[in-house]
Amino acid sequence: MRVVETITELRTLRNAWPTDNVAFVPTMGALHAGHASLIEMARQIGSKVIVSIFVNPLQFGPKEDFKRYPRPRENDLSLCQELGVDLVFYPKEDELYPNGMEILTVIEPPPSLTLQLCGASRPGHFTGVATVVLKLLNIVQPDFAVFGKKDAQQLAVIQRMVNDLNLPVTILPAPTVRESDGLAMSSRNKYLVSASDRQQARLLHRLLQNVRQLYQQGMETTQEAFALAQEQTLDESLYPDFQLEYLAAVHPETFQPVELLEPDTLILVAAKVGQTRLIDNLALNEAPSATSSGDLHHLLQSG
Ligand code: AMP
């Protein structure tokens, strides 16, 4: 496995490969079993796999956790090595933003996709995401790029950008990997240090599952299902540090809210547990999601 910090080195190595089957997994590091499953999907589809590790300042708000975001370089690199990654792109901030971020051409995704949900509480976030993803796609020039369904709004923004700008890459969505209790894996789960925080973090998935169960039992309107699911799941006296930011039902591509639940409706949730902001989602017709396999746990612990 090669690890490179510059665009020039990356391009030299990538262009020397006699293949049109390069799969790419962009990440911000602090890799966990969710990232590992994306890398495995890339491994299956591509004859060469490139992973980028870059905590992108452009997508963090001024009061967000950019500075304290975990950056366990050695663990991340050994996990990539064990997963058979061919090339890791690990740029410094200057490499991607040599002129800073004040005067920069950016990608503005359609407001209909970004003004609500995470975009409402994180202004500019999806501009930062779309811009860095376009830069990385231009640098790496992969045939496939794998993104997690865990970040559903991000995936919709990227898929839209790729279609609208005719980018020559196929986006592969990957299922959400969860802990055994249902909590979606996330680099930010590292912030959940107390047992109580960890308990409360499980509520996101429980709330989603509860909505799906009510739908399966015949409840048709979003409003009714949400009211009952919240009443059944979120007891404020038991969960004082759990602050729901949104619970929403949307069309999976347009991300517009729906009043009637349909099989392809996407249910999304965001909440703060103490200071930690977590998100999750679930399609009503989705098969029960993958949990991290023993193998992946083994790799992560040895990493
Ligand atoms: P991040 O490092 O958080 O920017 O995530 C990099 C990629 O991993 C994104 O495409 C995420 O959607 C994906 N990802 C993060 N968590 C999970 C998870 N639990 N399951 C599957 N994919 C994930």
Side-chain angles (χ1 to χ4, degrees), residues 26-29 32 34-35 37-38 69 146-151 154 174-178 184-187:
T27 80
M28 297 205 300
H32 50 66
H35 297 110
S37 77
L38 268 55
Y69 198 86
V146 189
F147 288 87
K149 292 188 196 175
K150 152 84 174 22
D151 299 282
Q154 167 174 290
T176 300
V177 177
R178 301 176 179 284
M185 298 227 169
S186 162
S187 305

Side-chain angles (χ1 to χ4, degrees), residues 150 176-179 181-186 189 205 279-280:
K150 152 84 174 22
T176 300
V177 177
R178 301 176 179 284
E179 302 283 359
D181 63 2
L183 174 65
M185 298 227 169
S186 162
N189 292 353
H205 186 238
I279 59 170
D280 200 352

Side-chain angles (χ1 to χ4, degrees), residues 55-286:
V55 184
N56 174 35
L58 197 61
Q59 70 191 64
F60 285 77
K63 291 192 181 140
E64 293 182 0
D65 56 344
F66 174 68
K67 285 219 170 98
R68 74 176 188 126
Y69 198 86
R71 291 162 171 87
R73 184 185 162 102
E74 293 317 313
N75 280 357
D76 284 354
L77 292 181
S78 54
L79 181 64
C80 287
Q81 172 96 47
E82 291 182 60
L83 290 168
V85 172
D86 297 285
L87 181 52
V88 177
F89 182 44
Y90 210 124
K92 298 217 159 64
E93 198 174 311
D94 279 3
E95 186 69 10
L96 288 193
Y97 301 114
N99 303 312
M101 292 178 297
E102 295 302 314
I103 303 174
L104 182 73
T105 306
V106 294
I107 293 292
E108 200 71 64
S112 64
L113 281 183
T114 60
L115 286 185
Q116 70 285 45
L117 308 171
C118 288
S121 61
R122 306 188 73 187
H125 171 67
F126 289 113
T127 297
V129 169
T131 303
V132 81
V133 169
L134 181 60
K135 282 169 74 69
L136 290 167
L137 291 174
N138 283 336
I139 292 164
V140 172
Q141 302 191 5
D143 303 287
F144 301 93
V146 189
F147 288 87
K149 292 188 196 175
K150 152 84 174 22
D151 299 282
Q153 197 172 7
Q154 167 174 290
L155 178 60
V157 162
I158 288 161
Q159 242 156 0
R160 183 91 235 173
M161 173 178 78
V162 165
N163 292 342
D164 287 350
L165 302 183
N166 309 99
L167 304 182
V169 61
T170 302
I171 301 299
L172 301 172
T176 300
V177 177
R178 301 176 179 284
E179 302 283 359
S180 53
D181 63 2
L183 174 65
M185 298 227 169
S186 162
S187 305
R188 290 191 168 94
N189 292 353
K190 291 192 169 61
Y191 302 150
L192 304 167
V193 280
S194 73
S196 151
D197 281 358
R198 189 60 188 67
Q199 281 284 330
Q200 297 184 71
R202 291 164 53 187
L203 295 176
L204 281 91
H205 186 238
R206 241 199 255 160
L207 190 55
L208 294 172
Q209 277 188 311
N210 209 338
V211 172
R212 177 160 62 186
Q213 204 173 12
L214 292 168
Y215 165 75
Q216 285 166 346
Q217 288 165 359
M219 204 165 267
E220 288 176 347
T221 72
T222 303
Q223 204 182 11
E224 266 183 310
F226 282 7
L228 192 54
Q230 286 188 65
E231 192 184 305
Q232 290 173 347
T233 315
L234 307 180
D235 183 335
E236 278 175 30
S237 61
L238 290 177
Y239 308 117
D241 301 323
F242 186 91
Q243 258 182 294
L244 186 65
E245 185 185 303
Y246 64 72
L247 176 63
V250 303
H251 183 276
E253 278 152 31
T254 63
F255 263 70
Q256 294 311 297
V258 295
E259 282 173 19
L260 287 180
L261 300 172
E262 304 279 352
D264 65 348
T265 298
L266 197 56
I267 312 295
L268 302 105
V269 63
K272 267 193 164 175
V273 174
Q275 291 307 306
T276 307
R277 186 176 181 278
L278 301 170
I279 59 170
D280 200 352
N281 69 86
L282 180 141
L284 290 178
N285 61 2
E286 200 175 293

